[in-house]
Structure formats: structure tokens, C-alpha cells
């Protein structure tokens, strides 16, 4: 399991605990000082990341999920999550 | 617009957030906005909804120093609340503020900035949720929307004690603690440092009342007591004192 602090430029501090194996996220816990409306969507987003492949479509799938569920996030983007999860995979 | 205004003075963090949530339910029912002014005593630390309490706060230090630690209903970061701060909550039906969340932050912060302008300060809004003075943060604000009602609360710093703040706030990397403390001292300020005569909580209450009333085109002002709303605060107070809520993440 990896724990990472990540602050996107102009964004909020993300504190993420995760495990990635073969482009699949098996553990994912997202914490930080960001804003999300509605707040209760956080658990659904964590579940969504767990069942979504870390491929080139991850960012657009994540954004579609937010849009279709009317979730608004301030302080990070889908690209940030992808970067965090894939950078570790490479290192 | 009709506006209820309440000054609950200084209370514990669990009491203050119990008030916020109970009033939120009340506004959902009555559709009448409530503006509340308050402070924190004893000193407390609050964390944003999405933060892990054990990741952000030194809970042993807090316990040994009688600092109550509470999770907020709203996002954002960890904040230490002492008696050198002024806090407000505006709880208002969604249709009375901009639909766009970013715009609504600025809309609700306008009376605060205009009030500070009146006392000779020239604050600016810094998206998403801050008010700054000469590039330094003087106010942080946070918002949630539930059941057609917006709750925005925010803290205005009168004086800042960064050293005490960092005795209870944990930092992501201990090796960088000194650097971080120095950086926060540069980035954050209290308004009293910028005034020729210090302003206190009671002065701010009347100043803010005037500016909220003016900028929100309030036709009817009801200055009321908390008891007039007949809220069941005890239920909510227990929530904000519970590990189930505070240690949820």
C-alpha cells in the first residue's frame, strides 16, 4: 500500500492511500482539504476508482462519472488522480 | 428578503456546528435565511469533511490541552479556532444565491469585504474561498448545499498565533515543519495588525449586520435568539462530539 501527499498546482492537498496492480486499483482512499458537492459522493468516487481501469480512458471516464452524477469537485481534477496512481506504478 | 440574525457569542466547536446543522434543517423547512455570528471558546480545532482527523491533528496534544477537535460538515482544511477570530454562518435557500458554487462564494463574501472596507481595509476575494489583504489570507470560507439550502461559514482572523496553531496541526513532513510555519506566517495575517485601533467581536457583529442587510437587499430584519427557533441542539451536539463522526475518515 502506498501513501502519497500531492498538491496540484493551484489545487488542494490530496492525501491518498492506494494499491495498484496491473492497471487495476485494489485499494483507494482519498482524503484532503478539497471540496466536493455533494460531500457524500466521496465514497462513490472511491468505489468508482476501484472498478475503473487505469488506462488512457481513465480521465474521461472519471469526468463522465462526475457529470452523470452531478458531482462537482474543487481542488483537484481527474488528471491529478490519474497522475498520482500511474506515477507510482512506473516508479 | 427577510433575514433572521442571531448572535450566539462564544461557545464550544461541537455546540457551534450543532447550531449550524440544526439551523440548516430549520431553513429547509421555513425557507427563511439565518445569519449567525459566533466565536469559539474554549480553543478548538476543526477539520474539513474529507480530512482524516488522525492525519491532520495531534490528538494527544489536543486532549492534554483541552482543545476540542471536530469534523465540519463542509470541506476545506484544518483550522485552529481561538478567541481572536470572528465567525459567521449564512444559511440560506439556494434560490437566493448564485447557482454556480464559485460565484456564490464570492457573492456571500461581498458583505464581509464591504464591511472591512468601511473600517479602512482593502480586502480582495481570492477564489475559491478566501479573502486576502495585501496578498495575505485573512478569512477562509466553506460551503455545503443540502436539501435546497446553502450553508456557508467562514472565519475572519483578528489576530493570528501561528506557533500555537502548529502545536496541534500535524504537518505532512516533519522535516519541513519550520519552513511550513515560516511560510504560513508570511501568508496569513489578522486584520488588527492592519488597523490603527483593534476591533473586537461586538464591533464586528454590528458592522457585518449592516453590510449583509445592505448588500442582500434585506427588507425585514429579525434579530432573534437561538431559543426562538426551538431547535433540538442536543442531538446534533452529540453527533459532533462522537468518534463515529469525528473519526469517520
Amino acid at each position: 500500500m502506498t501513501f502519497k501527499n500531492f498538491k496540484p498546482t493551484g489545487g488542494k492537498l490530496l492525501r491518498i492511500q492506494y494499491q495498484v496492480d496491473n492497471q487495476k486499483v485494489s485499494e483507494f482512499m482519498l482524503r484532503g482539504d478539497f471540496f466536493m458537492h455533494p460531500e457524500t459522493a466521496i465514497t462513490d468516487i472511491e468505489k468508482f476508482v476501484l472498478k475503473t481501469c487505469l488506462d488512457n480512458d481513465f480521465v474521461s471516464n472519471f469526468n463522465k462519472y462526475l457529470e452523470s452524477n452531478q458531482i462537482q469537485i474543487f481542488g483537484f481534477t481527474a488528471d491529478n488522480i490519474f497522475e498520482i496512481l500511474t506515477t507510482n506504478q512506473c516508479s | 428578503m427577510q433575514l433572521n440574525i442571531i448572535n450566539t457569542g462564544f461557545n464550544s466547536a461541537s455546540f457551534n456546528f450543532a447550531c449550524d446543522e440544526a439551523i440548516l434543517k430549520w431553513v429547509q423547512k421555513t425557507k427563511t435565511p439565518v445569519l449567525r455570528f459566533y466565536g469559539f471558546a474554549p480553543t478548538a480545532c476543526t477539520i474539513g469533511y474529507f480530512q482524516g482527523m488522525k492525519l491532520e491533528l495531534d490528538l494527544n496534544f489536543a486532549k492534554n490541552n483541552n482543545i476540542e477537535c471536530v469534523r465540519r460538515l463542509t470541506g476545506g482544511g484544518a483550522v485552529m479556532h481561538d478567541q481572536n477570530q470572528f465567525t459567521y454562518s449564512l444559511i440560506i435557500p439556494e434560490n437566493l444565491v448564485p447557482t454556480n458554487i464559485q460565484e456564490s462564494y464570492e457573492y456571500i463574501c461581498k458583505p464581509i469585504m464591504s464591511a472591512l472596507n468601511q473600517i479602512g481595509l482593502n480586502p480582495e476575494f481570492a477564489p475559491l474561498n478566501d479573502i486576502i489583504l495585501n496578498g495575505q489570507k485573512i478569512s477562509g470560507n466553506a460551503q455545503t448545499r443540502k436539501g435546497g439550502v446553502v450553508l456557508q461559514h467562514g472565519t475572519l482572523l483578528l489576530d493570528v498565533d501561528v506557533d500555537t496553531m502548529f502545536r496541534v496541526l500535524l504537518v505532512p513532513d516533519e522535516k519541513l515543519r519550520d519552513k511550513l510555519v515560516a511560510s504560513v506566517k508570511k501568508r496569513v495575517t489578522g486584520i488588527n495588525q492592519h488597523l490603527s485601533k483593534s476591533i473586537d467581536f461586538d464591533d464586528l457583529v454590528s458592522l457585518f449586520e449592516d453590510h449583509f442587510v445592505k448588500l442582500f437587499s434585506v427588507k425585514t430584519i429579525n434579530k432573534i435568539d437561538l431559543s426562538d427557533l426551538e431547535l433540538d441542539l442536543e442531538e446534533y451536539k452529540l453527533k459532533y462530539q462522537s468518534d463515529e463522526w469525528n473519526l469517520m475518515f
Side-chain angles (χ1 to χ4, degrees), chain B residues 4 22-32 34 229 231:
Chain B
N4 292 305
I23 295 172
L24 176 75
K25 302 282 179 205
W26 187 87
V27 176
Q28 284 172 350
K29 277 186 209 152
T30 63
K31 317 287 181 214
T32 310
V34 174
L229 302 182
L231 307 171

Side-chain angles (χ1 to χ4, degrees), chain B residues 223-235:
Chain B
K223 288 193 186 178
I224 57 171
D225 289 325
L226 197 58
S227 57
D228 295 331
L229 302 182
E230 296 179 348
L231 307 171
D232 182 10
L233 285 180
E234 207 47 42
E235 176 198 341

Side-chain angles (χ1 to χ4, degrees), chain B residues 90-245:
Chain B
L90 179 69
I91 304 168
I92 186 165
E94 247 178 323
N95 63 325
L96 297 177
V97 297
T99 311
N100 179 289
I101 290 173
Q102 199 156 337
E103 286 172 14
S104 68
Y105 268 110
E106 186 165 8
Y107 179 80
I108 297 172
C109 285
K110 266 186 185 156
I112 300 165
M113 294 192 292
S114 138
L116 295 176
N117 221 260
Q118 192 187 316
I119 55 170
L121 301 174
N122 191 20
E124 293 166 79
F125 183 72
L128 171 74
N129 57 325
D130 291 335
I131 299 174
I132 58 171
L133 183 66
N134 305 328
Q136 291 178 290
K137 179 171 171 171
I138 53 169
S139 170
N141 302 274
Q143 191 183 113
T144 184
R145 295 179 175 217
K146 293 186 194 310
V149 171
V150 175
L151 181 162
Q152 182 169 313
H153 48 200
T155 294
L156 177 68
L157 302 169
L158 308 186
D159 291 292
V160 191
D161 180 357
V162 175
D163 292 311
T164 305
M165 189 163 88
F166 275 95
R167 291 179 73 186
V168 64
L169 299 187
L170 297 173
V171 294
D173 186 345
E174 274 302 321
K175 286 176 286 187
L176 299 175
R177 175 178 282 273
D178 291 346
K179 241 185 184 175
L180 189 65
V181 172
S183 151
V184 170
K185 280 180 180 173
K186 273 189 192 162
R187 286 187 287 114
V188 177
T189 188
I191 59 167
N192 278 336
Q193 267 193 43
H194 305 266
L195 295 169
S196 50
K197 185 175 169 270
S198 290
I199 195 160
D200 66 16
F201 183 90
D202 293 327
D203 296 331
L204 283 168
V205 168
S206 55
L207 186 67
F208 273 46
E209 267 176 19
D210 292 346
H211 285 263
F212 269 98
V213 165
K214 195 173 143 196
L215 271 87
F216 282 16
S217 307
V218 174
K219 298 268 187 293
T220 316
I221 310 159
N222 298 323
K223 288 193 186 178
I224 57 171
D225 289 325
L226 197 58
S227 57
D228 295 331
L229 302 182
E230 296 179 348
L231 307 171
D232 182 10
L233 285 180
E234 207 47 42
E235 176 198 341
Y236 293 107
K237 205 172 156 191
L238 289 174
K239 168 182 168 178
Y240 289 101
Q241 289 171 337
S242 73
D243 284 353
E244 191 186 355
W245 169 258

Side-chain angles (χ1 to χ4, degrees), chain A residues 3 5 12-13 15 29-40 42-43 72 74, chain B residues 49-51 55-56 73 75-77 101-102 105 128-129 141-144 146 172 249:
Chain A
F3 181 83
N5 292 313
K12 303 288 186 181
L13 178 68
R15 313 186 78 163
M29 198 181 76
L30 175 60
R31 303 288 173 262
D33 58 1
F34 52 86
F35 293 89
M36 184 182 291
H37 298 264
E39 288 80 6
T40 46
I42 183 74
T43 44
Q72 293 186 67
F74 300 92
Chain B
Y49 182 87
F50 305 104
Q51 293 188 297
L55 278 176
E56 305 296 338
L73 261 187
I101 290 173
Q102 199 156 337
Y105 268 110
L128 171 74
N129 57 325
N141 302 274
Q143 191 183 113
T144 184
K146 293 186 194 310
F249 296 140

Side-chain angles (χ1 to χ4, degrees), chain A residues 19-36:
Chain A
Q19 176 74 43
V20 177
D21 300 296
N22 301 321
Q23 289 195 312
K24 285 296 289 179
V25 186
S26 54
E27 301 281 345
F28 183 69
M29 198 181 76
L30 175 60
R31 303 288 173 262
D33 58 1
F34 52 86
F35 293 89
M36 184 182 291

